[in-house]
Amino acid sequence: MTAPDATSPAAASAPATSWRDSLAVYLQPRVLIVLFLGFSSGLPLALSGSTLLVWMREAGVDLKTIGLFALVGTPYTLKFLWAPLVDALHVPLFTQAFGRRRGWLVFSQILLIISILLLAMTDPARSPFYVALGALLVATTSSTQDIVVDAFRVESLPESEQAAGMAAYVAAYRIGMLVSTAGALFIVSGFESTGITRTSAWMWGYVVMAAMVLIGTITALIATEPEQSMRAEAATHEETAFTRVLHAAIGAFSEFLSRKDAIAALAFVVLFKFTDAFSGTMTAPFVIDLGFTRNDYAAIVKGVGLAATLIGGFAGGFVARRYSLATSLWIGGVVQALANLTFSWLAIVGTNQWALALAICAENFTSAIGTVIFVAYLSALCQNPLHTATQYALLTALAAVGRTYLSSGAGFVAAATGWPLFFVICVLVAIPSLVLLVWLQKRGHFEALGPIRV
């Protein structure tokens, strides 16, 4: 296995990026736009998930019914099916008024606000069916917003700002999730303390969450339509709606598969985050097995772990901006794999909160670095503005294969090997992705993507 090539001619010709330049990029207007859109994307996720489940349990809904509500998250995994519609179709009035991407942004956010308000008006104790329908609408409109935001981010940011934009997006997404979980619960408690009924308190809590979506709407109105999107719109202006959808769906596949080493690149997309997924599947059972309480785990993951994730995201943005894409992937791939060894160490140390905090911080910090760099790579793969949304949705769905399917056997491995050796194996499962990285690097894959800096 070769070392990452940090001294290629292209890299040598580019001036080194200073810390000041790397920090200043986060204040660029385009990056700030992406940051606020990230908040808008992260906000709705828990409203049809964990926060809703708390509401249902307080309303007395039985656990079997609550368990079935995991299915309302299906739109997030199937959003690539209607991504071609977002790429190809115009929204009457909205597209004419705001442009191709911004029109869809405003439209999806209005639908999201309406969906959250409809969910707010339901009563889990009396009509769980309507709660499920409302949650499904929230998940569908939220995942549609995600499709548009991803395409907007890729098309609006120049290469030099892609990694910073992704770091800002990830941080704001996490904050949005925090607002719709802990924040929403505090808001509901606040309303309840005024003397209104619990049902009304939950309703008004969701109304406040719906109002917060306006942060994304205002951001979309302030933003400008990406130039790539305007050129794509001009190129397909005379085509029928059916033709545009057909070209977006077929073109997204054929354009990507026609590239050199496309299959190897797709395999790399599947495997790069596999080391994280394999260990992450068993992290919670491992911590409980060691003797930690649920409260210990929750406090460290939601508190210290969240801070480590946010810092790691910005660190990943700095790495990806300072080094070439291939070198950045090497850094992200290696550190996220080696972080698993902190859990092997924790398995030997035993029940020690400081050791748990260190292990969780190491894992969250390095995982965030890898995520930001990886998503910068995915963004670089989506080069055709005619179907950016479709290609990006497909790539993220493919990346989820490792998390959803390949890691499903982790429990069997842990049971057979024990915890210390299991996390060593988690390091070793990163090797196939690094072998593919060597292959793609030697084949000139990253040079073919364009500028070497992201």
Side-chain angles (χ1 to χ4, degrees):
M1 188 178 298
T2 61
D5 178 15
T7 58
S8 64
S13 63
T17 305
S18 68
W19 281 96
R20 181 177 297 177
D21 292 338
S22 296
L23 292 175
V25 71
Y26 291 103
L27 299 179
Q28 294 298 318
R30 291 179 294 259
V31 175
L32 292 175
I33 290 292
V34 168
L35 183 145
F36 284 106
L37 291 178
F39 175 86
S40 185
S41 289
L43 184 73
L45 186 61
L47 299 180
S48 60
S50 58
T51 300
L52 177 62
L53 300 186
V54 173
W55 182 10
M56 294 179 68
R57 191 55 180 158
E58 286 191 355
V61 179
D62 64 273
L63 292 177
K64 293 180 180 178
T65 302
I66 290 176
L68 291 175
F69 266 71
L71 297 174
V72 303
T74 299
Y76 289 104
T77 61
L78 297 180
K79 62 184 180 181
F80 66 90
L81 294 178
W82 65 91
L85 301 179
V86 175
D87 261 332
L89 294 184
H90 297 160
V91 183
L93 300 179
F94 288 88
T95 300
Q96 292 89 331
F98 306 114
R100 178 167 168 252
R101 297 301 186 200
R102 291 171 64 232
W104 267 103
L105 266 177
V106 176
F107 178 64
S108 63
Q109 287 161 349
I110 290 175
L111 291 181
L112 178 58
I113 291 171
I114 294 172
S115 299
I116 296 173
L117 291 176
L118 289 174
L119 180 57
M121 295 175 187
T122 61
D123 185 347
R126 296 182 179 180
S127 53
F129 172 78
Y130 290 109
V131 175
L133 183 59
L136 189 62
L137 287 174
V138 170
T140 302
T141 53
S142 172
S143 55
T144 302
Q145 179 189 222
D146 289 348
I147 293 171
V148 191
V149 170
D150 286 334
F152 182 90
R153 174 181 54 78
V154 172
E155 293 175 356
S156 65
L157 296 178
E159 291 293 328
S160 60
E161 296 176 6
Q162 281 288 347
M166 192 57 217
Y169 176 88
V170 169
Y173 192 100
R174 294 274 184 167
I175 293 171
M177 288 178 60
L178 186 63
V179 168
S180 61
T181 49
L185 296 179
F186 281 124
I187 290 171
V188 171
S189 297
F191 278 121
E192 198 171 7
S193 67
T194 64
I196 65 175
T197 64
R198 176 172 293 178
T199 300
S200 296
W202 274 105
M203 181 195 72
W204 285 110
Y206 267 69
V207 169
V208 173
M209 293 297 108
M212 286 191 175
V213 178
L214 290 172
I215 293 174
T217 307
I218 294 170
T219 302
L221 295 174
I222 294 174
T224 56
E225 184 72 5
E227 291 184 11
Q228 291 186 44
S229 179
M230 291 189 290
R231 290 196 296 269
E233 173 66 18
T236 61
H237 182 69
E238 296 182 359
E239 294 181 354
T240 65
F242 177 79
T243 302
R244 290 197 302 271
V245 172
L246 192 64
H247 285 172
I250 297 176
F253 290 96
S254 59
E255 190 270 337
F256 191 92
L257 292 176
S258 64
R259 299 180 189 178
K260 178 183 175 183
D261 301 317
I263 301 302
L266 292 177
F268 180 71
V269 168
V270 172
L271 295 174
F272 183 76
K273 295 294 290 181
F274 181 39
T275 180
D276 265 359
F278 200 72
S279 62
T281 302
M282 301 307 298
T283 300
F286 161 65
V287 171
I288 298 301
D289 275 3
L290 282 187
F292 291 99
T293 67
R294 291 193 305 271
N295 290 340
D296 290 335
Y297 180 73
I300 292 173
V301 170
K302 295 296 184 182
V304 179
L306 175 61
T309 298
L310 297 180
I311 296 170
F314 288 108
F318 172 78
V319 168
R321 180 168 164 78
R322 187 172 181 85
Y323 300 104
S324 69
L325 178 55
T327 302
S328 299
L329 285 167
W330 271 104
I331 294 171
V334 170
V335 298
Q336 70 183 8
L338 292 179
N340 288 305
L341 295 178
T342 61
F343 286 116
S344 293
W345 167 73
L346 178 61
I348 296 170
V349 171
T351 309
N352 182 301
Q353 290 192 340
W354 286 104
L356 175 61
L358 179 61
I360 291 293
C361 284
E363 193 277 332
N364 285 15
F365 178 77
T366 57
S367 176
I369 290 176
T371 296
V372 169
I373 295 167
F374 180 57
V375 176
Y377 170 64
L378 297 185
S379 302
L381 291 176
C382 302
Q383 297 180 334
N384 192 326
L386 291 175
H387 34 68
T388 303
T390 304
Q391 282 191 337
Y392 196 89
L394 284 169
L395 289 172
T396 52
L398 193 62
V401 168
R403 180 179 69 249
T404 306
Y405 301 108
L406 297 183
S407 60
S408 59
F412 295 96
V413 177
T417 62
W419 290 120
L421 183 56
F422 169 74
F423 288 107
V424 173
I425 293 172
C426 291
V427 178
L428 298 179
V429 300
I431 292 176
S433 68
L434 299 180
V435 170
L436 283 169
L437 183 53
V438 172
W439 169 265
L440 292 170
Q441 204 171 351
K442 287 185 175 180
R443 298 276 291 177
H445 170 71
F446 299 102
E447 285 79 0
L449 293 179
I452 197 165
R453 291 186 182 275
V454 295

